[in-house]
Amino acid sequence: MKKTTAAITAVGGYVPDFVLSNKVLETMVDTNDEWITTRTGIKERRILKEENAGTSFMAIKAAEDLLQKRGIEASEIDFVLVATATPDMPVASTAAYVASEIGAVNAFAYDLQAACSSFLYGMSTAASYIESGRYKKVLVIGADKMSSIIDYTDRTTCIIFGDGAGAVLFEPNEEGLGLQDEFLRSDGIGRQFLKIDAGGSILPASEETVKNKQHYVFQDGKSVFKFAVSNMADVSALIMERNNLTKDDVQWLAPHQANKRIIDATANRMGIEAEKVLINIDRYGNTTSATLPLLLYDFEKQLKKGDNIIFAAFGGGFTWGSIYLKWAYNS
Ligand code: UT7
């Protein structure tokens, strides 16, 4: 019997209209366009300004865009997974709200949190549900409102992050397309380097934690950079080797958009030419769970049926990994 694989059959996306440029950041903190551009590759990022709008606002828009493009009813979806590090609320599932708002009345839904690797891990989860034959239509949304947890007086973090959402639909495939292999890893040593100290079960919110700015992202950038460069490059090279892929067999590298220098190091290690590397960090910054689906959203037209794509991500925790996927359609 032919093996059922899990393929991406549609993509949707949404970024807020408001553009926060390096020039504007120069007026907010002690930084400059030249430093940000050369150290990170970022020129601008999008910020969600709508009042009372959280991550679900963007996730819903990305999902609606996908449904409209794929031409299916939301009621056909079996499972909605929202990959996010910034849920609307700490306890209520953001995915459950998103599923109801888009009309996915026959779906169950939950959130997946693995910092910047949330979407990569979500692809693995979605594919497993499809490959097992249990579900037929799985919607994976990567969405983050990073501006809700960033201190805009801290120049080491506020220049990096942005808001956005991207969505993909996984469906069964009988032609051998879709997810081929994955290599996922984590290491708890990482939480000292990239974290939000307060608001969790160790240090609940208090007057003191607010005063000490402990609800914002803290990042020891240098240390995270070192781990990210070696681990993202290692897993990307490993997945190529394990699948006997030469650089000529790989059409695209879709790397997490955290820093252009980390992306370049990963591509170099794989021997992949610059034209094969999907990049939009210059326009969106690091949107955490949304980076990978937003790449697919932006470059969808260039992806061809049968193309081999290597996804790679690295994030807080630490969490990291790579996925080898064959693209399943021409748009
Ligand atoms: O997505 C999740 C995983 N996250 C990542 O992968 C992020 C990994 N880390 C990074 O991308 C980089 O470490 C950063 C972009 C965060 C920082 O770049 P860096 O080249 O590692 O800079 P640094 O922290 O070593 O700082 C170099 C200098 C310092 O000044 P001194 O001590 O050399 O005088 C900083 O104070 O640059 C200074 N600096 C800045 N200058 C202008 C730090 N931030 C800024 C800034 N503008 N915004």
Side-chain angles (χ1 to χ4, degrees):
M1 209 175 85
K2 214 160 176 227
K3 192 176 161 237
T4 296
T5 48
I8 292 177
T9 58
V11 174
Y14 173 80
V15 289
D17 294 333
F18 185 88
V19 175
L20 178 58
S21 66
N22 290 351
K23 280 279 160 220
V24 173
L25 277 169
E26 284 180 5
T27 67
M28 296 163 62
V29 289
D30 180 16
T31 191
N32 57 79
D33 176 45
E34 206 259 330
W35 191 95
I36 302 173
T37 306
T38 53
R39 305 309 290 169
T40 71
I42 302 167
K43 288 304 238 182
E44 57 188 44
R45 60 295 286 144
R46 301 299 181 98
I47 305 293
L48 184 63
K49 290 283 190 186
E50 269 79 357
E51 250 178 65
N52 301 317
T55 291
S56 65
F57 178 90
M58 298 182 290
I60 291 165
K61 294 235 186 250
E64 287 174 344
D65 178 48
L66 179 149
L67 290 170
Q68 193 259 327
K69 278 165 71 183
R70 180 75 178 85
I72 58 165
E73 296 298 323
S75 57
E76 295 176 48
I77 293 169
D78 301 307
F79 168 40
V80 177
L81 187 151
V82 172
T84 187
T86 52
D88 283 3
M89 299 171 185
V91 174
S93 159
T94 300
Y97 178 73
V98 170
S100 293
E101 287 297 301
I102 63 172
V105 289
N106 297 310
F108 69 104
Y110 61 76
D111 299 347
L112 189 156
Q113 208 283 63
C116 290
S117 304
S118 301
F119 187 83
L120 190 87
Y121 283 18
M123 288 171 72
S124 164
T125 305
S128 306
Y129 275 131
I130 299 282
E131 288 159 4
S132 70
R134 227 178 310 168
Y135 302 109
K136 300 273 181 257
K137 286 188 170 49
V138 174
L139 181 63
V140 186
I141 308 169
D144 267 305
K145 184 181 171 184
M146 294 306 292
S147 61
S148 65
I149 52 171
I150 293 299
D151 175 3
Y152 284 91
T153 65
D154 175 6
R155 70 175 182 170
T156 68
T157 52
C158 75
I159 55 127
I160 299 169
F161 294 99
D163 302 337
V168 302
L169 186 68
F170 273 93
E171 294 187 77
N173 186 282
E174 306 301 332
E175 297 178 272
L177 302 171
L179 198 143
Q180 307 292 309
D181 194 15
E182 65 180 34
F183 188 85
L184 309 181
R185 285 292 179 271
S186 61
D187 186 345
I189 191 181
R191 78 170 172 183
Q192 60 189 296
F193 304 114
L194 179 49
K195 60 180 173 177
I196 292 178
D197 269 313
S201 53
I202 292 179
L203 187 59
S206 68
E207 237 176 84
E208 199 68 11
T209 60
V210 172
K211 206 175 73 205
N212 294 339
K213 297 186 163 196
Q214 288 171 293
H215 295 271
Y216 292 124
V217 169
F218 161 84
Q219 175 172 252
D220 171 352
K222 240 191 206 357
S223 301
V224 177
F225 185 89
K226 274 189 216 146
F227 279 100
V229 163
S230 63
N231 286 314
M232 241 171 85
D234 279 357
V235 292
S236 305
L238 185 142
I239 209 154
M240 279 176 71
E241 249 173 66
R242 195 155 93 169
N243 290 279
N244 298 316
L245 296 172
T246 67
K247 71 181 182 68
D248 297 327
D249 299 321
V250 176
Q251 277 71 44
W252 307 105
L253 167 65
H256 173 52
Q257 308 283 297
N259 187 314
K260 176 75 164 54
R261 290 182 291 142
I262 300 173
I263 296 170
D264 291 345
T266 304
N268 282 341
R269 177 74 179 284
M270 297 165 73
I272 300 274
E273 301 85 349
E275 358 16 305
K276 290 183 174 179
V277 184
L278 304 183
I279 291 180
N280 57 14
I281 191 172
D282 48 324
R283 288 178 292 134
Y284 304 145
N286 182 350
T287 54
T288 302
S289 312
T291 59
L292 299 183
L294 277 175
L295 284 177
L296 298 178
Y297 175 67
D298 279 356
F299 292 93
E300 186 183 17
K301 288 207 162 46
Q302 294 177 47
L303 310 177
K304 296 285 168 255
K305 187 173 175 180
D307 278 359
N308 290 325
I309 309 178
I310 304 290
F311 293 85
F314 183 89
F318 293 129
T319 56
W320 72 96
S322 66
I323 282 182
Y324 163 33
L325 177 137
K326 277 186 182 291
W327 196 245
Y329 64 93
N330 297 317
S331 53

